[in-house]
Each structure stands twice: as C-alpha cells, then as structure tokens.
Amino acid sequence: MSPLEPFGARLRRAMDERGPLCVGIDPHASLLAEWGLDDDVAGLERFSRTVVEALAGRVAVLKPQSAFFERFGSRGLAVLEKSVQEARAAGALVVTDAKRGDIGSTMAAYAEAFLRPDAPLFSDALTVSPYLGYGSLSPAVALARESGAGLFVLALTSNPEGGEVQHAVRADGRTVGATVLAHLAAENAGEEPLGSFGAVVGATLGDLSSYDLDINGPLLAPGIGAQGATPADLSRVFGAAVRNVVPNVSRGVLRHGPDVSALRGAAERFAAEIQAAVTAA
C-alpha cells in the first residue's frame, strides 16, 4: 500500500475547505445517559454511529477518545475500529486520542496499532505522550512519516495538573513544554504547507506569549465549550499561530444529540464562531 499524502498537507486542505473544527467522540457514561442510551456496547455503537453519520461529511476532524471504547473490552474496540473506518470513508480526518507513550519495541507496537496503513485502527493521526523523553517517540515519528500519518504530542495541556511537569524548568533554562515545542518545530522544518507533527496546547491556558507556538505544524486545542474557553479566546491564547489551531469541542456539540440535525447545527455554530475568530486575528 502506497503512503498517503502527508497528514499536514491533508489537514491544511481540510481546514481550508471545512474550517478547522475538531469534534470529539467521547461516549462517557453520563453522555450516553443524556442521549437515553444504556451504558453498554449497544449504546456505545449507537452513539458513535450517530456522531459519524451527523458530522463526518462536514467537519475537518473527528477525534474519538479511545478510553471510552476500551472500557468495554474487545467489543468496544470493534466499535472504535468501525467508527474510525467509517469516519475516514465519509471524508473526515480521524485523530485517535489514545495518548500512548512508551519506549523501544513497546512504542513501536503502539505506533503499529494506530499508524500502520493496514491496521484495523489506522488513523490519520494519534495523540502521544513525550514524558518518557521526546526521543522515546522515535518509532511513532518514523512510522508516521512512512505512512503519511501525523502525531499530536502533549505539550501544554489544559488540565491544571499538567503545569507541574510542563512548566518545570530544565537545567538549560527552558521549560519542558518549550522543549517539546522545539522538538516539533525541528520535525516540521521545511514542510509545506504544514508539517505533520503537532502539539496539544490547551485553549484555556491564557497568555502563552512566552512560548514559541510557531512549530510549522498544527496545534490541537482542547478546552472550548465545557472547559470554559470560547472561540473568541483563540487569538489571545495562540497569537500569530492561530491559523494552525485545530480547536476541539466535545460536549458543546455532543450534548445536542442524539438528533442528527441538532448535532450538525451545533457543529456549524461552533465552526462559524471559530472561523470568524481566526479570520479576525
């Protein structure tokens, strides 16, 4: 199987054509209940199928959270496989949010599970954790380059606890978060129109002017909606890098289900607000 066009190029085109919105597929128990679904595999499948049907042909990116599928065991993973495949077939780029991170052959195996083109869970990109050292991600970086996939590396996350690691200052005077961003900038050097190695940077973090977010790659930005950030915050948080931001909204859209038209309407409203904020920046 020949490799895909690089993820960064495919993402840039999708963002330009559909807008930059990323909608999470987060079937946690409380949301299943809000939809009137049971917290079982049948409810999981109904939820995921509805989100894919409503949005995969309309938004740039869908981001299933692997944990909410894994909790149902092999049957849940089968639903995840089907959701990823059907979303990609309908035209959305799929970022599987699994936050994998390990060393050596184990990291290579995680990469093969999500980034090998003939793998059942093959995704356009995968979230990964660099906190065993950025170099531990080398197997995933290499396979992503080979297959045309991408990575989103945790850098400056929206959870309050993240700061104790990510803002820690190294011996060279640079924070851990800044070091991760510098590695990603090196991965993306010279890539056009956009590199394939992105960072996860929370939209709730306020002024990040002390960080160089110009990594020539995408910035996946959780935190809009239920976590308190709004589309209007994007330019303040991301500054000149805002054009490369992929804002993620989950509950703000998903709570409008299970009605397909309501899901689409919510996604369209967020997409319009995000587009207006990015254009005005």
Side-chain angles (χ1 to χ4, degrees), residues 202-207 223-225 228-239 242 273 277:
T204 58
L205 296 178
D207 183 8
I224 293 177
T230 69
D233 293 324
L234 292 173
S235 60
R236 176 175 58 86
V237 175
F238 294 96
V242 71
E273 291 179 27

Side-chain angles (χ1 to χ4, degrees), residues 100-112 126 128-129 136-140:
R100 295 300 195 249
D102 215 304
I103 61 172
S105 60
T106 310
M107 188 68 241
Y110 279 137
E112 288 173 5
L126 173 69
V128 292
S129 172
S136 67
L137 300 179
S138 295

